mmCIF file of all heavy atoms in Angstrom:
data_model
loop_
_atom_site.group_PDB
_atom_site.id
_atom_site.type_symbol
_atom_site.label_atom_id
_atom_site.label_comp_id
_atom_site.label_asym_id
_atom_site.label_seq_id
_atom_site.Cartn_x
_atom_site.Cartn_y
_atom_site.Cartn_z
ATOM 1 N N TYR A 1 0.836 -1.206 0.000
ATOM 2 C CA TYR A 1 0.000 0.000 0.000
ATOM 3 C C TYR A 1 0.871 1.257 0.000
ATOM 4 O O TYR A 1 1.814 1.362 0.791
ATOM 5 C CB TYR A 1 -0.896 -0.017 1.238
ATOM 6 C CG TYR A 1 -1.766 1.204 1.449
ATOM 7 C CD1 TYR A 1 -2.698 1.589 0.490
ATOM 8 C CD2 TYR A 1 -1.676 1.963 2.619
ATOM 9 C CE1 TYR A 1 -3.518 2.698 0.685
ATOM 10 C CE2 TYR A 1 -2.490 3.065 2.821
ATOM 11 C CZ TYR A 1 -3.409 3.430 1.855
ATOM 12 O OH TYR A 1 -4.215 4.524 2.052
ATOM 13 N N PHE A 2 0.571 2.173 -0.900
ATOM 14 C CA PHE A 2 1.247 3.470 -0.973
ATOM 15 C C PHE A 2 0.172 4.547 -0.879
ATOM 16 O O PHE A 2 -0.715 4.600 -1.711
ATOM 17 C CB PHE A 2 2.009 3.594 -2.294
ATOM 18 C CG PHE A 2 3.072 4.666 -2.313
ATOM 19 C CD1 PHE A 2 4.379 4.346 -2.641
ATOM 20 C CD2 PHE A 2 2.771 5.986 -2.021
ATOM 21 C CE1 PHE A 2 5.375 5.313 -2.666
ATOM 22 C CE2 PHE A 2 3.752 6.977 -2.056
ATOM 23 C CZ PHE A 2 5.059 6.642 -2.384
ATOM 24 N N ASP A 3 0.269 5.391 0.130
ATOM 25 C CA ASP A 3 -0.739 6.420 0.394
ATOM 26 C C ASP A 3 -0.094 7.800 0.225
ATOM 27 O O ASP A 3 0.858 8.141 0.924
ATOM 28 C CB ASP A 3 -1.260 6.247 1.821
ATOM 29 C CG ASP A 3 -2.440 7.147 2.143
ATOM 30 O OD1 ASP A 3 -2.745 8.059 1.355
ATOM 31 O OD2 ASP A 3 -3.070 6.920 3.197
ATOM 32 N N LEU A 4 -0.635 8.594 -0.689
ATOM 33 C CA LEU A 4 -0.044 9.890 -1.006
ATOM 34 C C LEU A 4 -0.376 11.003 -0.015
ATOM 35 O O LEU A 4 0.239 12.078 -0.087
ATOM 36 C CB LEU A 4 -0.482 10.342 -2.415
ATOM 37 C CG LEU A 4 0.071 9.536 -3.588
ATOM 38 C CD1 LEU A 4 -0.575 9.998 -4.891
ATOM 39 C CD2 LEU A 4 1.582 9.656 -3.668
ATOM 40 N N HIS A 5 -1.306 10.769 0.906
ATOM 41 C CA HIS A 5 -1.642 11.869 1.819
ATOM 42 C C HIS A 5 -2.341 11.413 3.093
ATOM 43 O O HIS A 5 -3.330 10.678 3.047
ATOM 44 C CB HIS A 5 -2.547 12.888 1.132
ATOM 45 C CG HIS A 5 -2.866 14.063 2.007
ATOM 46 N ND1 HIS A 5 -1.993 15.109 2.186
ATOM 47 C CD2 HIS A 5 -3.937 14.354 2.782
ATOM 48 C CE1 HIS A 5 -2.513 15.986 3.025
ATOM 49 N NE2 HIS A 5 -3.703 15.547 3.402
ATOM 50 N N CYS A 6 -1.841 11.882 4.226
ATOM 51 C CA CYS A 6 -2.567 11.800 5.497
ATOM 52 C C CYS A 6 -2.166 13.002 6.350
ATOM 53 O O CYS A 6 -1.171 13.671 6.076
ATOM 54 C CB CYS A 6 -2.274 10.494 6.241
ATOM 55 S SG CYS A 6 -0.667 10.427 7.070
ATOM 56 N N ASP A 7 -2.955 13.280 7.375
ATOM 57 C CA ASP A 7 -2.709 14.414 8.270
ATOM 58 C C ASP A 7 -2.369 13.946 9.677
ATOM 59 O O ASP A 7 -2.642 14.626 10.660
ATOM 60 C CB ASP A 7 -3.943 15.326 8.306
ATOM 61 C CG ASP A 7 -4.122 16.098 7.011
ATOM 62 O OD1 ASP A 7 -3.273 16.954 6.724
ATOM 63 O OD2 ASP A 7 -5.103 15.838 6.288
ATOM 64 N N THR A 8 -1.747 12.798 9.769
ATOM 65 C CA THR A 8 -1.446 12.182 11.061
ATOM 66 C C THR A 8 -0.515 13.038 11.910
ATOM 67 O O THR A 8 -0.659 13.108 13.142
ATOM 68 C CB THR A 8 -0.842 10.788 10.830
ATOM 69 O OG1 THR A 8 -1.736 10.033 10.002
ATOM 70 C CG2 THR A 8 -0.616 10.061 12.138
ATOM 71 N N LEU A 9 0.459 13.704 11.291
ATOM 72 C CA LEU A 9 1.392 14.544 12.059
ATOM 73 C C LEU A 9 0.649 15.639 12.818
ATOM 74 O O LEU A 9 0.987 15.956 13.959
ATOM 75 C CB LEU A 9 2.436 15.170 11.135
ATOM 76 C CG LEU A 9 3.414 14.217 10.455
ATOM 77 C CD1 LEU A 9 4.338 14.990 9.524
ATOM 78 C CD2 LEU A 9 4.212 13.423 11.475
ATOM 79 N N ASN A 10 -0.347 16.225 12.179
ATOM 80 C CA ASN A 10 -1.122 17.275 12.844
ATOM 81 C C ASN A 10 -1.868 16.736 14.056
ATOM 82 O O ASN A 10 -1.903 17.375 15.108
ATOM 83 C CB ASN A 10 -2.106 17.919 11.863
ATOM 84 C CG ASN A 10 -1.408 18.725 10.801
ATOM 85 O OD1 ASN A 10 -1.180 18.247 9.704
ATOM 86 N ND2 ASN A 10 -1.043 19.951 11.117
ATOM 87 N N ARG A 11 -2.445 15.545 13.915
ATOM 88 C CA ARG A 11 -3.161 14.966 15.050
ATOM 89 C C ARG A 11 -2.198 14.635 16.191
ATOM 90 O O ARG A 11 -2.530 14.834 17.363
ATOM 91 C CB ARG A 11 -3.919 13.711 14.612
ATOM 92 C CG ARG A 11 -5.196 14.007 13.818
ATOM 93 C CD ARG A 11 -6.133 12.813 13.833
ATOM 94 N NE ARG A 11 -6.546 12.469 15.190
ATOM 95 C CZ ARG A 11 -7.014 11.274 15.547
ATOM 96 N NH1 ARG A 11 -7.109 10.307 14.646
ATOM 97 N NH2 ARG A 11 -7.368 11.036 16.792
ATOM 98 N N ILE A 12 -1.024 14.141 15.849
ATOM 99 C CA ILE A 12 -0.042 13.821 16.883
ATOM 100 C C ILE A 12 0.327 15.065 17.678
ATOM 101 O O ILE A 12 0.384 15.044 18.915
ATOM 102 C CB ILE A 12 1.211 13.182 16.250
ATOM 103 C CG1 ILE A 12 0.885 11.774 15.741
ATOM 104 C CG2 ILE A 12 2.361 13.127 17.258
ATOM 105 C CD1 ILE A 12 2.014 11.133 14.948
ATOM 106 N N VAL A 13 0.562 16.173 16.969
ATOM 107 C CA VAL A 13 0.948 17.425 17.632
ATOM 108 C C VAL A 13 -0.245 18.050 18.356
ATOM 109 O O VAL A 13 -0.145 18.432 19.528
ATOM 110 C CB VAL A 13 1.540 18.419 16.616
ATOM 111 C CG1 VAL A 13 1.783 19.782 17.262
ATOM 112 C CG2 VAL A 13 2.850 17.878 16.047
ATOM 113 N N ASP A 14 -1.377 18.154 17.686
ATOM 114 C CA ASP A 14 -2.542 18.846 18.255
ATOM 115 C C ASP A 14 -3.126 18.120 19.461
ATOM 116 O O ASP A 14 -3.607 18.749 20.411
ATOM 117 C CB ASP A 14 -3.635 19.002 17.198
ATOM 118 C CG ASP A 14 -3.241 19.952 16.083
ATOM 119 O OD1 ASP A 14 -2.280 20.722 16.271
ATOM 120 O OD2 ASP A 14 -3.888 19.916 15.012
ATOM 121 N N GLU A 15 -3.110 16.790 19.410
ATOM 122 C CA GLU A 15 -3.753 15.996 20.460
ATOM 123 C C GLU A 15 -2.751 15.334 21.397
ATOM 124 O O GLU A 15 -3.140 14.550 22.269
ATOM 125 C CB GLU A 15 -4.651 14.929 19.816
ATOM 126 C CG GLU A 15 -5.743 15.514 18.925
ATOM 127 C CD GLU A 15 -6.519 14.445 18.173
ATOM 128 O OE1 GLU A 15 -6.788 13.383 18.769
ATOM 129 O OE2 GLU A 15 -6.835 14.662 16.979
ATOM 130 N N ASN A 16 -1.473 15.651 21.196
ATOM 131 C CA ASN A 16 -0.405 15.082 22.032
ATOM 132 C C ASN A 16 -0.475 13.556 22.045
ATOM 133 O O ASN A 16 -0.458 12.913 23.093
ATOM 134 C CB ASN A 16 -0.481 15.635 23.458
ATOM 135 C CG ASN A 16 0.776 15.340 24.259
ATOM 136 O OD1 ASN A 16 1.868 15.203 23.707
ATOM 137 N ND2 ASN A 16 0.635 15.228 25.568
ATOM 138 N N LEU A 17 -0.535 12.984 20.838
ATOM 139 C CA LEU A 17 -0.677 11.545 20.692
ATOM 140 C C LEU A 17 0.671 10.887 20.412
ATOM 141 O O LEU A 17 1.594 11.518 19.894
ATOM 142 C CB LEU A 17 -1.633 11.219 19.541
ATOM 143 C CG LEU A 17 -3.087 11.644 19.696
ATOM 144 C CD1 LEU A 17 -3.843 11.377 18.402
ATOM 145 C CD2 LEU A 17 -3.745 10.918 20.866
ATOM 146 N N ASP A 18 0.752 9.632 20.716
ATOM 147 C CA ASP A 18 1.880 8.813 20.329
ATOM 148 C C ASP A 18 1.584 8.214 18.953
ATOM 149 O O ASP A 18 0.429 7.942 18.611
ATOM 150 C CB ASP A 18 2.075 7.693 21.356
ATOM 151 C CG ASP A 18 3.274 6.823 21.047
ATOM 152 O OD1 ASP A 18 3.102 5.844 20.290
ATOM 153 O OD2 ASP A 18 4.367 7.124 21.550
ATOM 154 N N PHE A 19 2.621 7.998 18.146
ATOM 155 C CA PHE A 19 2.441 7.441 16.810
ATOM 156 C C PHE A 19 1.705 6.097 16.830
ATOM 157 O O PHE A 19 1.060 5.719 15.863
ATOM 158 C CB PHE A 19 3.803 7.294 16.125
ATOM 159 C CG PHE A 19 3.762 6.703 14.737
ATOM 160 C CD1 PHE A 19 2.984 7.283 13.747
ATOM 161 C CD2 PHE A 19 4.501 5.574 14.427
ATOM 162 C CE1 PHE A 19 2.945 6.742 12.462
ATOM 163 C CE2 PHE A 19 4.469 5.026 13.154
ATOM 164 C CZ PHE A 19 3.693 5.615 12.174
ATOM 165 N N PHE A 20 1.785 5.395 17.944
ATOM 166 C CA PHE A 20 1.146 4.085 18.055
ATOM 167 C C PHE A 20 -0.212 4.153 18.751
ATOM 168 O O PHE A 20 -0.746 3.136 19.182
ATOM 169 C CB PHE A 20 2.078 3.112 18.786
ATOM 170 C CG PHE A 20 3.332 2.823 18.021
ATOM 171 C CD1 PHE A 20 4.480 3.561 18.249
ATOM 172 C CD2 PHE A 20 3.368 1.845 17.044
ATOM 173 C CE1 PHE A 20 5.638 3.314 17.532
ATOM 174 C CE2 PHE A 20 4.517 1.587 16.326
ATOM 175 C CZ PHE A 20 5.664 2.329 16.567
ATOM 176 N N SER A 21 -0.779 5.353 18.826
ATOM 177 C CA SER A 21 -2.110 5.506 19.413
ATOM 178 C C SER A 21 -3.147 4.752 18.581
ATOM 179 O O SER A 21 -3.134 4.805 17.342
ATOM 180 C CB SER A 21 -2.483 6.987 19.488
ATOM 181 O OG SER A 21 -3.849 7.148 19.808
ATOM 182 N N VAL A 22 -4.061 4.075 19.257
ATOM 183 C CA VAL A 22 -5.106 3.322 18.545
ATOM 184 C C VAL A 22 -6.075 4.250 17.821
ATOM 185 O O VAL A 22 -6.832 3.793 16.953
ATOM 186 C CB VAL A 22 -5.895 2.420 19.522
ATOM 187 C CG1 VAL A 22 -4.998 1.338 20.094
ATOM 188 C CG2 VAL A 22 -6.549 3.239 20.635
ATOM 189 N N SER A 23 -6.065 5.528 18.132
ATOM 190 C CA SER A 23 -7.001 6.454 17.501
ATOM 191 C C SER A 23 -6.517 6.962 16.146
ATOM 192 O O SER A 23 -7.279 7.592 15.411
ATOM 193 C CB SER A 23 -7.266 7.649 18.430
ATOM 194 O OG SER A 23 -6.142 8.501 18.489
ATOM 195 N N LEU A 24 -5.263 6.695 15.796
ATOM 196 C CA LEU A 24 -4.711 7.185 14.533
ATOM 197 C C LEU A 24 -4.992 6.215 13.395
ATOM 198 O O LEU A 24 -4.676 5.027 13.470
ATOM 199 C CB LEU A 24 -3.207 7.407 14.662
ATOM 200 C CG LEU A 24 -2.769 8.560 15.569
ATOM 201 C CD1 LEU A 24 -1.245 8.566 15.701
ATOM 202 C CD2 LEU A 24 -3.261 9.898 15.047
ATOM 203 N N PHE A 25 -5.567 6.722 12.310
ATOM 204 C CA PHE A 25 -5.889 5.889 11.155
ATOM 205 C C PHE A 25 -4.637 5.528 10.354
ATOM 206 O O PHE A 25 -4.612 4.514 9.664
ATOM 207 C CB PHE A 25 -6.890 6.610 10.243
ATOM 208 C CG PHE A 25 -8.302 6.583 10.743
ATOM 209 C CD1 PHE A 25 -8.588 6.356 12.077
ATOM 210 C CD2 PHE A 25 -9.354 6.783 9.873
ATOM 211 C CE1 PHE A 25 -9.899 6.332 12.545
ATOM 212 C CE2 PHE A 25 -10.676 6.763 10.322
ATOM 213 C CZ PHE A 25 -10.937 6.535 11.659
ATOM 214 N N ALA A 26 -3.622 6.379 10.401
ATOM 215 C CA ALA A 26 -2.379 6.112 9.668
ATOM 216 C C ALA A 26 -1.203 6.043 10.633
ATOM 217 O O ALA A 26 -0.084 6.409 10.301
ATOM 218 C CB ALA A 26 -2.138 7.174 8.600
ATOM 219 N N GLY A 27 -1.460 5.571 11.834
ATOM 220 C CA GLY A 27 -0.413 5.429 12.839
ATOM 221 C C GLY A 27 0.300 4.097 12.733
ATOM 222 O O GLY A 27 0.000 3.258 11.874
ATOM 223 N N GLY A 28 1.252 3.891 13.637
ATOM 224 C CA GLY A 28 2.091 2.709 13.588
ATOM 225 C C GLY A 28 1.351 1.396 13.688
ATOM 226 O O GLY A 28 1.741 0.403 13.077
ATOM 227 N N LEU A 29 0.261 1.353 14.443
ATOM 228 C CA LEU A 29 -0.467 0.098 14.623
ATOM 229 C C LEU A 29 -1.149 -0.372 13.338
ATOM 230 O O LEU A 29 -1.446 -1.558 13.188
ATOM 231 C CB LEU A 29 -1.505 0.245 15.741
ATOM 232 C CG LEU A 29 -0.949 0.421 17.158
ATOM 233 C CD1 LEU A 29 -2.080 0.591 18.156
ATOM 234 C CD2 LEU A 29 -0.079 -0.776 17.553
ATOM 235 N N SER A 30 -1.385 0.555 12.402
ATOM 236 C CA SER A 30 -2.059 0.169 11.156
ATOM 237 C C SER A 30 -1.136 -0.579 10.206
ATOM 238 O O SER A 30 -1.593 -1.143 9.209
ATOM 239 C CB SER A 30 -2.621 1.417 10.455
ATOM 240 O OG SER A 30 -1.582 2.284 10.042
ATOM 241 N N ASN A 31 0.170 -0.613 10.502
ATOM 242 C CA ASN A 31 1.110 -1.285 9.613
ATOM 243 C C ASN A 31 0.863 -2.780 9.507
ATOM 244 O O ASN A 31 1.272 -3.418 8.538
ATOM 245 C CB ASN A 31 2.545 -1.055 10.097
ATOM 246 C CG ASN A 31 2.967 0.380 9.955
ATOM 247 O OD1 ASN A 31 2.496 1.093 9.078
ATOM 248 N ND2 ASN A 31 3.853 0.835 10.825
ATOM 249 N N VAL A 32 0.219 -3.368 10.506
ATOM 250 C CA VAL A 32 0.033 -4.822 10.523
ATOM 251 C C VAL A 32 -0.828 -5.304 9.356
ATOM 252 O O VAL A 32 -0.857 -6.493 9.060
ATOM 253 C CB VAL A 32 -0.600 -5.289 11.853
ATOM 254 C CG1 VAL A 32 0.299 -4.937 13.022
ATOM 255 C CG2 VAL A 32 -1.991 -4.678 12.043
ATOM 256 N N HIS A 33 -1.525 -4.389 8.697
ATOM 257 C CA HIS A 33 -2.431 -4.783 7.628
ATOM 258 C C HIS A 33 -1.743 -4.903 6.268
ATOM 259 O O HIS A 33 -2.384 -5.271 5.289
ATOM 260 C CB HIS A 33 -3.584 -3.779 7.526
ATOM 261 C CG HIS A 33 -4.294 -3.547 8.819
ATOM 262 N ND1 HIS A 33 -4.998 -4.537 9.456
ATOM 263 C CD2 HIS A 33 -4.381 -2.445 9.608
ATOM 264 C CE1 HIS A 33 -5.508 -4.050 10.588
ATOM 265 N NE2 HIS A 33 -5.135 -2.793 10.696
ATOM 266 N N PHE A 34 -0.449 -4.600 6.201
ATOM 267 C CA PHE A 34 0.235 -4.553 4.912
ATOM 268 C C PHE A 34 1.572 -5.281 4.951
ATOM 269 O O PHE A 34 2.264 -5.289 5.960
ATOM 270 C CB PHE A 34 0.474 -3.093 4.499
ATOM 271 C CG PHE A 34 -0.741 -2.224 4.662
ATOM 272 C CD1 PHE A 34 -0.828 -1.313 5.697
ATOM 273 C CD2 PHE A 34 -1.809 -2.343 3.791
ATOM 274 C CE1 PHE A 34 -1.950 -0.528 5.867
ATOM 275 C CE2 PHE A 34 -2.942 -1.569 3.949
ATOM 276 C CZ PHE A 34 -3.019 -0.657 4.985
ATOM 277 N N ASP A 35 1.932 -5.884 3.811
ATOM 278 C CA ASP A 35 3.266 -6.475 3.674
ATOM 279 C C ASP A 35 4.312 -5.373 3.526
ATOM 280 O O ASP A 35 5.409 -5.454 4.065
ATOM 281 C CB ASP A 35 3.306 -7.396 2.452
ATOM 282 C CG ASP A 35 2.349 -8.567 2.587
ATOM 283 O OD1 ASP A 35 2.279 -9.154 3.682
ATOM 284 O OD2 ASP A 35 1.659 -8.872 1.598
ATOM 285 N N LYS A 36 3.938 -4.351 2.771
ATOM 286 C CA LYS A 36 4.814 -3.212 2.557
ATOM 287 C C LYS A 36 3.946 -1.949 2.512
ATOM 288 O O LYS A 36 2.879 -1.953 1.889
ATOM 289 C CB LYS A 36 5.575 -3.368 1.243
ATOM 290 C CG LYS A 36 6.663 -2.344 0.993
ATOM 291 C CD LYS A 36 7.267 -2.520 -0.393
ATOM 292 C CE LYS A 36 7.885 -3.906 -0.540
ATOM 293 N NZ LYS A 36 8.441 -4.093 -1.922
ATOM 294 N N ARG A 37 4.397 -0.901 3.188
ATOM 295 C CA ARG A 37 3.605 0.326 3.220
ATOM 296 C C ARG A 37 4.505 1.549 3.104
ATOM 297 O O ARG A 37 5.462 1.705 3.851
ATOM 298 C CB ARG A 37 2.808 0.420 4.522
ATOM 299 C CG ARG A 37 2.031 1.728 4.675
ATOM 300 C CD ARG A 37 1.245 1.723 5.964
ATOM 301 N NE ARG A 37 0.786 3.058 6.297
ATOM 302 C CZ ARG A 37 0.506 3.474 7.520
ATOM 303 N NH1 ARG A 37 0.648 2.646 8.536
ATOM 304 N NH2 ARG A 37 0.099 4.697 7.747
ATOM 305 N N TYR A 38 4.187 2.393 2.120
ATOM 306 C CA TYR A 38 4.824 3.692 1.973
ATOM 307 C C TYR A 38 3.752 4.729 2.306
ATOM 308 O O TYR A 38 2.702 4.761 1.661
ATOM 309 C CB TYR A 38 5.317 3.909 0.549
ATOM 310 C CG TYR A 38 6.622 3.224 0.226
ATOM 311 C CD1 TYR A 38 6.805 1.863 0.483
ATOM 312 C CD2 TYR A 38 7.668 3.920 -0.359
ATOM 313 C CE1 TYR A 38 8.001 1.228 0.183
ATOM 314 C CE2 TYR A 38 8.865 3.304 -0.661
ATOM 315 C CZ TYR A 38 9.028 1.957 -0.399
ATOM 316 O OH TYR A 38 10.213 1.330 -0.696
ATOM 317 N N GLN A 39 4.018 5.554 3.314
ATOM 318 C CA GLN A 39 3.013 6.513 3.784
ATOM 319 C C GLN A 39 3.555 7.934 3.728
ATOM 320 O O GLN A 39 4.566 8.250 4.341
ATOM 321 C CB GLN A 39 2.596 6.191 5.212
ATOM 322 C CG GLN A 39 1.565 7.147 5.787
ATOM 323 C CD GLN A 39 0.230 7.064 5.056
ATOM 324 O OE1 GLN A 39 -0.379 5.989 4.986
ATOM 325 N NE2 GLN A 39 -0.235 8.183 4.513
ATOM 326 N N CYS A 40 2.874 8.777 2.967
ATOM 327 C CA CYS A 40 3.212 10.199 2.934
ATOM 328 C C CYS A 40 2.563 10.880 4.131
ATOM 329 O O CYS A 40 1.353 10.764 4.342
ATOM 330 C CB CYS A 40 2.720 10.840 1.643
ATOM 331 S SG CYS A 40 3.599 10.269 0.168
ATOM 332 N N PHE A 41 3.373 11.601 4.906
ATOM 333 C CA PHE A 41 2.906 12.349 6.063
ATOM 334 C C PHE A 41 3.030 13.843 5.773
ATOM 335 O O PHE A 41 4.137 14.364 5.644
ATOM 336 C CB PHE A 41 3.733 12.007 7.305
ATOM 337 C CG PHE A 41 3.513 10.621 7.838
ATOM 338 C CD1 PHE A 41 4.350 9.580 7.459
ATOM 339 C CD2 PHE A 41 2.462 10.354 8.702
ATOM 340 C CE1 PHE A 41 4.154 8.297 7.947
ATOM 341 C CE2 PHE A 41 2.253 9.071 9.196
ATOM 342 C CZ PHE A 41 3.101 8.042 8.818
ATOM 343 N N ALA A 42 1.888 14.516 5.684
ATOM 344 C CA ALA A 42 1.904 15.945 5.363
ATOM 345 C C ALA A 42 2.090 16.802 6.611
ATOM 346 O O ALA A 42 1.573 16.476 7.683
ATOM 347 C CB ALA A 42 0.599 16.335 4.672
ATOM 348 N N VAL A 43 2.845 17.888 6.457
ATOM 349 C CA VAL A 43 2.832 18.953 7.464
ATOM 350 C C VAL A 43 1.905 20.037 6.927
ATOM 351 O O VAL A 43 1.968 20.399 5.757
ATOM 352 C CB VAL A 43 4.247 19.511 7.753
ATOM 353 C CG1 VAL A 43 5.106 18.453 8.407
ATOM 354 C CG2 VAL A 43 4.927 20.023 6.489
ATOM 355 N N TRP A 44 1.028 20.507 7.783
ATOM 356 C CA TRP A 44 0.010 21.477 7.371
ATOM 357 C C TRP A 44 -0.229 22.467 8.497
ATOM 358 O O TRP A 44 -0.144 22.111 9.689
ATOM 359 C CB TRP A 44 -1.316 20.762 7.061
ATOM 360 C CG TRP A 44 -2.447 21.706 6.749
ATOM 361 C CD1 TRP A 44 -2.756 22.254 5.540
ATOM 362 C CD2 TRP A 44 -3.423 22.235 7.668
ATOM 363 N NE1 TRP A 44 -3.862 23.073 5.641
ATOM 364 C CE2 TRP A 44 -4.289 23.080 6.948
ATOM 365 C CE3 TRP A 44 -3.640 22.067 9.041
ATOM 366 C CZ2 TRP A 44 -5.355 23.754 7.529
ATOM 367 C CZ3 TRP A 44 -4.707 22.750 9.629
ATOM 368 C CH2 TRP A 44 -5.554 23.574 8.884
#
């Protein structure tokens, strides 16, 4: 899976979340669903 856009960095900063928070749709825990994953993380 290759995803060209997510806003996960903003949620991490705004909500003081850890990258492995279960509330993040593109966080570290979501990696288990893919053999290989390239994820674009936008700063906004």
Side-chain angles (χ1 to χ4, degrees):
Y1 176 59
F2 198 125
D3 187 349
L4 291 173
H5 183 80
C6 76
D7 288 293
T8 306
L9 294 177
N10 291 97
R11 284 200 61 201
I12 290 173
V13 173
D14 292 343
E15 301 173 39
N16 194 28
L17 295 174
D18 182 272
F19 179 56
F20 295 93
S21 169
V22 295
S23 72
L24 291 174
F25 283 21
L29 292 178
S30 65
N31 292 331
V32 299
H33 307 295
F34 313 106
D35 297 317
K36 188 185 300 178
R37 176 178 165 205
Y38 281 52
Q39 179 65 58
C40 292
F41 290 94
V43 294
W44 175 86

